[in-house]
Amino acid sequence: MDLIFAEATPPGRGGVSVIRISGTGALSLAQRLAGPLPCARLAYLRNLRDGEELLDQALVIWFEAGASFTGEEVAELHLHGAPVIARRVASALVVGGARPAEPGEFTRRAFLNGRMDLAEIEGLGDLLQAETESQRQQAVRIAGGEVGRRAEAWRGVLITAGALVEASVDFADEEVPDDIPEEVFGLLRDLRDELMAEIRGYQAAERVRTGFEVAVIGPPNAGKSSLINRIARREVALVSDIAGTTRDIIELGIDLRGLAVTFLDTAGLRESSDQVERLGVARARDRAVSADLRIHVSDSGYTDRDLWREGDILAHSKSDVSQNTTGLRISSVTGEGITQLLDLIYEILSSKVAGAGIISHARQVQALREASVALSCVDELPPELVAEAIRVASVSLDRLIGRIGAEDYLDVIFTTFCIGK
Ligand code: GDP
């Protein structure tokens, strides 16, 4: 592979700026600027020179092929953190035969050299995008290879089951096994149960990754927008304030005690004779129904029963001027009940997080579903198809970690990576 380089630290002024070089010849290129660097993984303080010209004083480290992030020979130049220095060193590297890396190219090489599997790369992408504590905790586990380790254990079970099926053919001295040991079915049933448990944990893990949605609904003038403004202003860290993609819903993304939560303000939910607007209202209602939780805001006790789901919260608004006692009393004017409301939302959502598994991407759950479908009802299959079911399940697990079929996903995944990663 050709020699690539990029700044591994964000562009701009800072204490240190790290340029990473990867590929065969990374060491000799670093030595061309820094002079002899006899040992790998030792930090050398060196004057970097381009011919006679002094570029910077830097710490220089190199890693052998097979013992680096990309799996290739890698050198790192830890420069003083001014953009002009990084630019000058970059031009010296280009003259020395390296080219600027594409976004995610270091990680792509790590994958191609078997240093990371596809799920780890997805976890790393999530980690780089993480904004809240729960997102960080989940992503760091996955980036650390937890999916791959689990997949290896599952593949081990399939290999054992496959070997037992094979053995039953040999002993019977026939082409086709007619007496598959019960142990095989026990192994496959337990494995399928495990896969199903992971599949069940997908939705919560996906929500931790992308954020939970909480819809604030209720009749016009109930105080929905005031509530959301109150939440945004006082109680929580504001992450983003996205004007809705439709005119019917405004989204407010917040970090609620470590959970990424998007509040949906459905103030535009009202009956209308205008056809376009009616479509918008229908979409907003669908969105409210599919949200993870709904807060029904009302100052009159009225709630829309069609939108009510078990576990929803009833918030009685304008408690400063209203005596109604049903539901949780809140006031966006005095702040009464707002902390309790957020506590309740947090409690409900964190109980969902408790069921989160390690599978958090649609691609991953698809592979697991294929494996579990292949293993369903194996004990009712004709014996010759049991080995085939095991093979199909095994292929699906290979797909889970990108041992096969990764090409289709790599380009998509790396669009979220920055240059230098
Ligand atoms: P929405 O249509 O449900 O979004 O309702 P708004 O948030 O726009 O509020 C409608 C009206 O009720 C506005 O005049 C608000 O100032 C008022 N309002 C909202 N919340 C409270 C509250 O807690 N106490 C009082 N006194 N008035 C409120």
Side-chain angles (χ1 to χ4, degrees), residues 389-421:
I390 292 173
R391 195 193 61 78
V392 172
S394 185
V395 167
S396 304
L397 293 181
D398 279 350
R399 196 167 288 132
L400 170 65
I401 53 171
R403 203 170 281 160
I404 52 173
E407 307 74 32
D408 301 342
Y409 292 98
L410 285 176
D411 288 340
V412 179
I413 293 172
F414 288 128
T415 55
T416 64
F417 276 55
C418 52
I419 291 174
K421 189 68 222 174

Side-chain angles (χ1 to χ4, degrees), residues 219-226 267 318 320-321 331-333:
N221 287 324
K224 302 181 290 299
S225 302
S226 306
K318 308 186 190 179
D320 53 306
V321 291
S331 168
S332 301
V333 171

Side-chain angles (χ1 to χ4, degrees), residues 166-294:
E166 286 280 312
S168 71
V169 180
D170 287 345
F171 292 144
D173 198 19
E174 292 164 1
E175 293 268 308
V176 175
D178 58 2
D179 190 18
I180 291 176
E182 184 49 39
E183 190 186 352
V184 170
F185 299 121
L187 284 172
L188 297 181
R189 259 195 308 271
D190 289 351
L191 175 56
R192 182 159 187 272
D193 288 348
E194 240 184 274
L195 298 180
M196 295 295 287
E198 273 307 328
I199 292 168
R200 278 195 297 277
Y202 162 69
Q203 200 186 6
E206 196 266 344
R207 283 295 197 267
V208 168
R209 182 171 73 80
T210 60
F212 287 93
E213 287 192 344
V214 175
V216 178
I217 56 187
N221 287 324
K224 302 181 290 299
S225 302
S226 306
L227 170 63
I228 290 197
N229 286 339
R230 177 88 199 191
I231 290 172
R233 202 173 67 237
R234 287 281 181 87
E235 307 284 338
V236 285
L238 189 62
V239 175
S240 63
D241 188 357
I242 317 150
T245 44
T246 74
R247 57 192 161 139
D248 310 298
I249 295 189
I250 309 278
E251 298 183 13
L252 172 78
I254 63 160
D255 178 342
L256 180 61
R257 294 163 208 169
L259 291 181
V261 177
T262 301
F263 284 91
L264 309 176
D265 180 354
T266 60
L269 258 186
R270 59 182 183 277
E271 296 310 325
S272 166
S273 53
D274 177 76
Q275 204 181 352
V276 176
E277 192 167 337
R278 273 216 307 274
L279 274 177
V281 170
R283 249 201 327 264
R285 289 178 73 93
D286 286 349
R287 188 88 186 275
V289 167
S290 64
D292 300 286
L293 176 64
R294 280 144 298 280

